[in-house]
Amino acid sequence: MFWKQSLSFPEGLIRAKEINGKLYAASEIRIYSEATLWGINKYSDLSPFLPDNFLYRLPISDKHMATIKPDELILMPLGKPFEEDALVLKMKDIDPGFFGFNQIVSRYGDQIGIDPKGNVLVPYQGPKNTGEWKYTPSFLWLKTAVIDGKVEILEQKLIKEEFFDNWVSIYGLKVFENFMRVTIANKTFDFDQNGNMELRFESYTKSVQVGNEIITFAGDGWETFPLKVYKSDLSGKNPELIGTYNSGQIFKEDRSRLGIFDDNISSINETIVLIERGSIFRLSMSNKAIRLLPLDKVGLKGANVTSISLLDNSTVFVTTGCEATDKNCSGGYYKPLDKFLPPR
């Protein structure tokens, strides 16, 4: 069955997520809350609260909206993108050593994390006491709530840990139900729901929730071997090694797709899938090999796929980007779940 185009989004989308049975989607400047694939959707235009030259991905939450400007973090109640409703936090008031926000390398990952309870995690740069830039990025962690239509800060914490002795980048930030996972250089850290930071892996990683487990692919670099695979419960703690794969067990191009820079991995009906521009792959893993098997993309019309998710346990929805010259752009396509994965 062909992918069908959703006409409910008149622009390219960068991501979508189902939260408590409702669809939320984001473009480069707008948040669509409680959206539909088959009707007219309301949106919040956040362009007045966004920086001019920053490759920033709007976080999706059912609690509130978060944006950044060069020296401000801005929190707004969901669906109320108005100046009078915005809580504007001057970063230099929070940390006088604030230098700027970190640009996270991943094309698909978060830039700001908002977990299901409304906790917010924001990476930033700041100098050491000596006046030099910090080697390890700092983090602002906030416990928030929306009270009487306003976002309020219940607890605030600055996290400044030095794990490196050279300049490092953040390669990914991903929000899970019980923690947020951040890869900084060649180490991976988890932040729990109280803002505690813990080293989880001494390697680059890519993680995804599959059923009631977190599956993590870990390696020493972009296309290095071996590639190790771990599983844990939904806390992310105590990962157990379940597989080690060498160059003869993974095709080189598949190892590249499982590289370190892009959070392009998802789970659909407990099957791991991976997106790469206009293609979608199903990951097949045994104790002997890992393979990425291409799935049908007929109907996507060469679209650039930016995310994939399962709606109502029955419909697979992919968001797609649009070129500036594409006058007939729509930001999403869908098909029934039973037509998405071929029989094994």
Side-chain angles (χ1 to χ4, degrees):
M1 180 178 178
F2 291 0
W3 287 93
K4 292 185 177 180
Q5 189 174 26
S6 170
L7 302 179
S8 298
F9 303 97
E11 61 179 333
L13 298 176
I14 58 173
R15 64 201 313 185
K17 182 187 298 184
E18 185 180 70
I19 305 174
N20 297 324
K22 297 176 181 178
L23 173 62
Y24 298 79
S27 71
E28 292 184 353
I29 61 172
R30 295 170 177 167
I31 291 287
Y32 295 82
S33 56
E34 300 189 29
T36 174
L37 302 183
W38 303 282
I40 298 175
N41 287 317
K42 297 180 180 180
Y43 61 80
S44 298
D45 181 4
L46 302 181
S47 55
F49 303 97
L50 291 170
D52 295 326
N53 299 306
F54 193 84
L55 299 177
Y56 171 73
R57 290 172 59 84
L58 292 172
I60 291 180
S61 166
D62 64 342
K63 302 293 189 299
H64 48 60
M65 303 177 291
T67 66
I68 54 176
K69 283 202 164 184
D71 59 354
E72 296 174 342
L73 169 65
I74 306 169
L75 303 175
M76 292 161 281
L78 189 65
K80 299 177 70 177
F82 310 110
E83 187 173 354
E84 61 268 24
D85 296 306
L87 175 61
V88 179
L89 303 177
K90 300 285 187 181
M91 289 300 295
K92 281 190 175 292
D93 292 342
I94 296 172
D95 183 352
F98 172 82
F99 182 81
F101 290 106
N102 283 82
Q103 172 63 55
I104 297 177
V105 175
S106 173
R107 282 187 303 149
Y108 298 99
D110 290 319
Q111 297 287 333
I112 288 178
I114 306 178
D115 75 12
K117 291 189 175 181
N119 301 318
V120 179
L121 185 69
V122 187
Y124 69 95
Q125 299 170 2
K128 288 184 172 181
N129 294 332
T130 59
E132 299 177 358
W133 285 6
K134 283 180 65 66
Y135 294 123
T136 300
S138 298
F139 294 86
L140 169 64
W141 179 85
L142 301 170
K143 181 181 289 292
T144 71
V146 178
I147 301 173
D148 295 330
K150 300 288 185 180
V151 178
E152 294 192 12
I153 307 301
L154 306 180
E155 186 179 342
Q156 175 179 303
K157 182 185 295 187
L158 292 180
I159 303 167
K160 300 183 178 185
E161 302 287 349
E162 293 289 349
F163 292 99
F164 303 90
D165 59 4
N166 58 347
W167 184 255
V168 294
S169 297
I170 299 178
Y171 288 111
L173 190 163
K174 188 164 186 174
V175 178
F176 292 93
E177 182 178 353
N178 300 306
F179 65 97
M180 299 188 223
R181 180 159 287 177
V182 182
T183 298
I184 307 172
N186 61 344
K187 299 181 189 293
T188 298
F189 303 86
D190 287 352
F191 294 79
D192 68 17
Q193 293 184 331
N194 294 310
N196 299 311
M197 181 182 185
E198 184 176 354
L199 177 64
R200 188 67 65 223
F201 296 95
E202 301 235 20
S203 57
Y204 300 98
T205 64
K206 179 172 290 186
S207 301
V208 61
Q209 180 178 337
V210 183
N212 291 319
E213 295 179 332
I214 304 296
I215 302 296
T216 298
F217 300 87
D220 292 331
W222 175 247
E223 293 180 357
T224 60
F225 294 94
L227 177 68
K228 296 182 178 181
V229 183
Y230 296 84
K231 71 174 182 179
S232 72
D233 62 20
L234 296 182
S235 73
K237 298 179 179 180
N238 303 314
E240 173 191 349
L241 180 66
I242 59 173
T244 300
Y245 301 87
N246 294 303
S247 58
Q249 297 170 288
I250 316 173
F251 293 133
K252 184 177 180 180
E253 57 268 31
D254 289 348
R255 178 66 185 94
S256 178
R257 292 183 179 112
L258 281 167
I260 61 175
F261 291 120
D262 295 329
D263 178 28
N264 55 352
I265 194 166
S266 303
S267 173
I268 301 294
N269 200 34
E270 299 194 13
T271 295
I272 296 175
V273 297
L274 185 142
I275 59 176
E276 185 185 52
R277 298 179 177 87
S279 299
I280 305 171
F281 300 87
R282 173 175 68 85
L283 187 142
S284 172
M285 182 169 58
S286 68
N287 59 357
K288 295 181 179 180
I290 291 178
R291 295 287 183 265
L292 290 174
L293 308 173
L295 295 176
D296 177 24
K297 57 181 180 180
V298 177
L300 289 179
K301 305 175 184 178
N304 177 36
V305 178
T306 53
S307 76
I308 183 168
S309 53
L310 180 62
L311 309 181
D312 196 29
N313 293 317
S314 62
T315 302
V316 180
F317 178 56
V318 298
T319 59
T320 57
C322 298
E323 300 294 335
T325 57
D326 189 351
K327 296 182 180 179
N328 297 314
C329 171
S330 176
Y333 295 79
Y334 63 93
K335 68 163 51 178
L337 173 62
D338 59 5
K339 304 296 183 183
F340 173 65
L341 294 171
R344 300 196 178 207

